[in-house]
């Protein structure tokens, strides 16, 4: 029997997480325990459940109880389900729900960087990529094109933000990831691990960790000394960390200087740059792990 609750009172405290709290506030919702995040759309929620994330409650259109959310609710029978018609939910949340289904879920502790990278051979590193849509799109490409994990510097947008996870189509729950931070797995209620106070975690400590683990670092940047993405030397490296920079400014000069390779994507018509997520997809296709034929 589902725990169905028809919304009659917009001010009900149970709806705060959907209607009145920012994603930053949700990050600290259960302090000193870990916070929560909002997953949007049946596919994203399903992939989060597959990955073992714990649901807290659902918010959905009434028609989806026996529609697109039916299988999800069957997996979470004791979880509260708040429901109303589409126009009511739009008024409540302030935005139109994608596929009409939201789910609040508990965050999990993040692994540290060495643990995530120990068995990896191809890693994507995002330096201060602040647009959640770009973060989500990069994750989708990383999942599809042979990357073993994603590392994010302290200035990046959170992959579990609603827009990022939605754009990723739930692949943020399939690709291992973590932030460069001191002891992220032990952070109390903040998986981002004091992100603004630990700036020394990148590039100083982060680069050292990658090199100690045997990774050659690849800065995606337009420089006079850049080599082509198709350079044969890159294919011979056993372990590669492909580093993508922030929108607009790209990678920091110090990051580029510390990398083993500076690599450019050949482009026509004097185009000098690509969106970070597009550049990531091209780099992952060229340098990622081979994709078995049965998966193509």
């Amino acid at each position: 029997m589902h725990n169905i609750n028809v919304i009659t009172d917009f001010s009900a405290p149970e709806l705060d997480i959907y209607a009145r709290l920012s994603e930053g506030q949700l990050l600290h919702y259960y302090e000193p325990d870990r916070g929560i995040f909002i997953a949007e759309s049946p596919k994203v929620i399903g992939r989060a459940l597959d990955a073992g994330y714990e649901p807290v409650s659902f918010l959905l259109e009434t028609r989806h109880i026996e529609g697109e959310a039916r299988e999800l609710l069957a997996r979470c029978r004791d979880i509260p389900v708040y429901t109303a018609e589409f126009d009511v939910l739009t008024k409540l949340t302030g935005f139109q729900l994608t596929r009409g289904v939201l789910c609040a879920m508990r965050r999990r502790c993040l692994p540290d960087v060495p643990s995530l990278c120990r068995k990896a051979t191809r890693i994507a590193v995002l330096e201060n990529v602040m647009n959640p849509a770009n973060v989500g799109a990069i994750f989708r490409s990383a999942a599809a094109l042979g990357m073993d994990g994603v590392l994010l510097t302290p200035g990046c947008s959170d992959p579990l933000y609603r827009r990022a996870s939605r754009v990723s189509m739930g692949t943020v729950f399939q690709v291992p990831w973590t932030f460069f931070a001191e002891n992220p797995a032990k952070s109390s209620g903040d998986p981002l691990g004091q992100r603004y106070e630990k700036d020394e975690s990148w590039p100083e400590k982060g680069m050292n960790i990658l090199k100690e683990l045997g990774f050659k670092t690849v800065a995606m940047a337009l420089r006079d000394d850049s080599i082509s993405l198709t350079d044969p030397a890159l294919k011979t490296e056993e372990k590669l960390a492909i580093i993508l920079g922030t929108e607009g400014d790209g990678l920091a000069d110090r990051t580029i200087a510390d990398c083993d390779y500076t690599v450019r994507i050949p482009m026509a018509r004097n185009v000098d740059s690509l969106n970070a997520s597009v550049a990531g997809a091209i780099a992952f296709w060229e340098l990622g792990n081979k994709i078995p034929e049965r998966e193509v």
Side-chain angles (χ1 to χ4, degrees):
M1 193 76 175
H2 297 312
N3 183 3
I4 304 295
N5 302 271
V6 178
I7 296 172
T8 58
D9 180 7
F10 275 23
S11 66
E14 295 85 357
L15 301 177
D16 285 350
I17 56 178
Y18 298 106
R20 287 173 285 277
L21 297 182
S22 69
E23 290 181 298
Q25 290 171 314
L26 294 177
L27 191 64
H28 302 278
Y29 191 75
Y30 284 125
E31 284 191 334
D33 198 1
R34 295 178 298 281
I36 62 176
F37 66 94
I38 305 297
E40 181 180 3
S41 86
K43 182 181 287 293
V44 172
I45 296 166
R47 285 180 168 169
L49 292 174
D50 291 344
Y53 283 85
E54 178 186 351
V56 175
S57 66
F58 285 89
L59 177 70
L60 49 80
E61 289 182 64
T62 303
R63 66 189 179 95
H64 289 316
I65 294 174
E66 294 299 330
E68 292 198 38
R70 183 176 181 178
E71 292 185 6
L72 296 175
L73 299 183
R75 299 174 64 178
C76 310
R77 288 192 176 275
D78 297 328
I79 305 302
V81 178
Y82 301 100
T83 183
E85 298 303 321
F86 177 82
D87 57 342
V88 175
L89 294 184
T90 299
K91 182 178 179 182
L92 173 69
T93 61
F95 58 86
Q96 294 186 357
L97 277 64
T98 299
R99 307 301 288 270
V101 184
L102 297 177
C103 182
M105 311 188 92
R106 287 181 178 268
R107 287 178 175 267
R108 301 192 310 201
C109 286
L110 294 175
D112 59 29
V113 173
S115 297
L116 187 147
C117 292
R118 195 157 285 124
K119 295 183 179 180
T121 61
R122 293 294 186 270
I123 290 289
V125 178
L126 310 188
E127 181 181 86
N128 301 335
V129 178
M130 295 173 282
N131 186 319
N134 277 340
V135 170
I138 290 170
F139 265 86
R140 192 172 180 183
S141 295
L145 301 174
M147 305 306 291
D148 297 315
V150 178
L151 305 176
L152 302 100
T153 68
C156 285
S157 182
D158 184 355
L160 295 188
Y161 281 171
R162 183 177 60 85
R163 188 180 181 196
S165 63
R166 175 167 56 83
V167 171
S168 83
M169 295 296 289
T171 54
V172 295
F173 306 113
Q174 297 178 313
V175 179
W177 62 272
T178 195
F179 278 87
F180 283 104
E182 292 186 359
N183 297 322
K186 299 179 182 179
S187 60
S188 58
D190 185 353
L192 305 190
Q194 303 164 338
R195 58 196 292 179
Y196 297 113
E197 298 175 12
K198 301 291 185 184
D199 284 348
E200 74 274 10
S201 65
W202 181 264
E204 296 94 335
K205 293 182 180 179
M207 282 287 192
N208 288 337
I209 291 172
L210 291 173
K211 291 180 180 181
E212 287 170 2
L213 292 169
F215 283 88
K216 295 293 186 180
T217 48
V218 176
M220 300 300 299
L222 293 167
R223 293 293 178 98
D224 291 339
D225 59 350
S226 297
I227 64 172
S228 172
L229 183 64
T230 59
D231 192 299
L234 297 170
K235 299 292 184 66
T236 65
E237 297 291 358
E238 180 182 356
K239 294 183 176 184
L240 284 178
I242 301 168
I243 306 176
L244 300 165
T246 186
E247 302 88 347
D249 294 333
L251 292 173
D253 290 339
R254 179 170 180 182
T255 299
I256 297 171
D258 287 346
C259 282
D260 298 295
Y261 297 98
T262 303
V263 173
R264 68 180 182 276
I265 297 171
M267 289 177 276
R269 296 184 175 87
N270 295 318
V271 175
D272 62 358
S273 64
L274 295 169
N275 175 274
S277 62
V278 175
I282 295 170
F284 302 159
W285 169 255
E286 187 66 29
L287 301 177
N289 289 311
K290 290 289 185 179
I291 303 170
E293 288 295 328
R294 66 179 181 276
E295 295 186 9
V296 174

